[in-house]
Amino acid sequence: MEDRRDGPRYRVSDEERQRFRRDGYVHLRGVLAPAELAEIAAVYERFLRREIAVPGKDLCDMSGDYGRRFEEYSIVNVMLPRRYHPAWQGNLYELRAASIAEQLHGPGMALDYDQLLAKRPHKDDAVFEWHQDQAYWPVFPDPRTATCWLAVDDSTLENGCMRFVPGSHRGPIRPHRPLKSDRGESHTLLTDVDPERDEIRPVPIARGDVTVHDERVLHGSGGNRTSGWRRAYVVAFRAVATIAEERRLGFTHSHNDEREVLDGVGRDERGRAAR
Ligand SMILES: O=C(O)CCC(=O)C(=O)O
């Protein structure tokens, strides 16, 4: 396979750019080489062993409620790992992902948030419900997003790889509802996908590969039926002006933020219009 890595950059082909526009996601191979990935995985493991402290709800289970004990989490979610482990800021993955975001969208993109999503072995319920990321945050005029999802382990049908509804980013944001009765119990939102109408495309990828998706594409993932972890590391890029506006509203993607947005049309969890 051709090596597209070049120091802090990764070269995206024209065909991949077109696929991102058409499908709302694209699979990029070999974004990190095995030795580069091993460095990332070593720090990742420190988060999973809880050697790096993550306060409050920024350590939670994306498949259950906030009340579960850590040992019972099916999808261990660490929000904003670079905030809690500043040595990660500017790591090679962040740099390559930034170059990918720029090639997909042009200049003026910046890192909005990062996240670790690790599915424990033998967890059928480690399901990431169908959703559009846009439902999780306020709507702003510049919709450019590139959410880079790095496979730290091979991501397979059996361990819960990502699945997308290609082209759905060109449709509306569907109504979303909380997984539990309200957002105070669980951060997770979900929507409905109709297998008769929506093409569901699982995207297994090898470790070191990345999928990049648009905030409006429908996506989710299934449970982990294997004896190994399924670890992923997300870094999400958005337009600089969009991020500035989010921060002005007090929205940082931390689950400890006071502000949550439920329905992607500018309402908060109590249905109040966003200001
Ligand atoms: O890791 C997963 O299975 C889902 C991730 C996801 O929904 C996202 O990064 O937007």
Side-chain angles (χ1 to χ4, degrees):
M1 190 185 67
E2 182 199 0
D3 187 355
R4 321 264 209 84
R5 300 179 292 267
D6 181 12
R9 295 185 60 78
Y10 177 91
R11 192 173 52 74
V12 179
S13 71
D14 288 342
E15 196 200 330
E16 286 161 341
R17 261 194 295 273
Q18 280 162 21
R19 259 190 255 146
F20 179 72
R21 300 236 178 295
R22 185 191 64 201
D23 296 335
Y25 77 91
V26 65
H27 171 191
L28 303 176
R29 290 184 165 76
V31 173
L32 288 188
E36 296 166 346
L37 188 65
E39 281 188 35
I40 296 280
V43 176
Y44 203 119
E45 281 306 298
R46 291 180 57 206
F47 276 106
L48 293 184
R49 288 196 300 268
R50 303 185 73 182
E51 288 168 14
I52 299 172
V54 178
K57 296 174 178 173
D58 280 345
L59 180 68
C60 69
D61 183 357
M62 282 304 278
S63 64
D65 55 57
Y66 283 126
R68 273 188 185 172
R69 286 187 317 120
F70 177 75
E71 295 69 27
E72 291 165 359
Y73 289 6
S74 293
I75 307 180
V76 177
N77 176 30
V78 176
M79 282 317 296
L80 311 181
R82 72 197 308 271
R83 179 187 283 184
Y84 304 121
H85 182 64
W88 246 6
Q89 294 172 20
N91 72 34
L92 189 58
Y93 170 46
E94 284 194 356
L95 298 176
R96 295 224 174 112
S99 86
I100 290 167
E102 189 192 22
Q103 291 169 79
L104 293 175
H105 286 303
M109 301 292 286
L111 199 157
D112 187 11
Y113 70 91
D114 61 339
Q115 181 174 17
L116 306 181
L117 288 163
K119 297 188 181 185
R120 277 189 204 280
H122 301 300
K123 289 284 186 186
D124 277 345
D125 70 339
V127 171
F128 214 113
E129 302 287 349
W130 287 105
H131 66 283
Q132 291 158 298
D133 294 339
Q134 171 67 89
Y136 277 91
W137 49 59
V139 178
F140 295 113
D142 188 336
R144 289 180 297 158
T145 40
T147 299
C148 297
W149 189 103
L150 170 71
V152 178
D153 302 294
D154 288 342
S155 182
T156 64
L157 294 177
E158 293 72 29
N159 72 7
C161 65
M162 289 278 269
R163 48 194 181 198
F164 295 94
V165 176
S168 53
H169 62 304
R170 287 186 255 107
I173 301 301
R174 298 187 185 180
H176 284 64
R177 57 189 183 278
L179 177 66
K180 301 287 169 184
S181 58
D182 73 60
R183 299 298 295 287
E185 280 184 69
S186 162
H187 188 75
T188 303
L189 297 175
L190 65 146
T191 190
D192 297 313
V193 158
D194 175 2
E196 305 271 302
R197 195 177 48 134
D198 299 311
E199 181 198 346
I200 295 175
R201 196 183 289 167
V203 183
I205 67 175
R207 58 205 292 270
D209 290 5
V210 163
T211 55
V212 191
H213 66 265
D214 182 285
E215 66 183 359
R216 290 159 300 179
V217 75
L218 278 157
H219 62 286
S221 60
N224 183 0
R225 302 192 300 272
T226 72
S227 55
W229 284 78
R230 190 231 67 177
R231 293 169 300 172
Y233 176 8
V234 173
V235 287
F237 290 80
R238 305 183 76 198
V240 169
T242 297
I243 297 171
E245 189 54 20
E246 275 185 346
R247 300 296 183 268
R248 195 186 65 75
L249 291 171
F251 188 85
T252 71
H253 295 271
S254 167
H255 290 198
N256 301 321
D257 281 353
E258 280 186 14
R259 182 173 183 78
E260 300 261 26
V261 172
L262 174 60
D263 61 3
V265 291
R267 287 179 222 287
D268 68 12
E269 73 277 21
R270 292 189 192 83
R272 297 176 301 211
R275 275 172 294 181

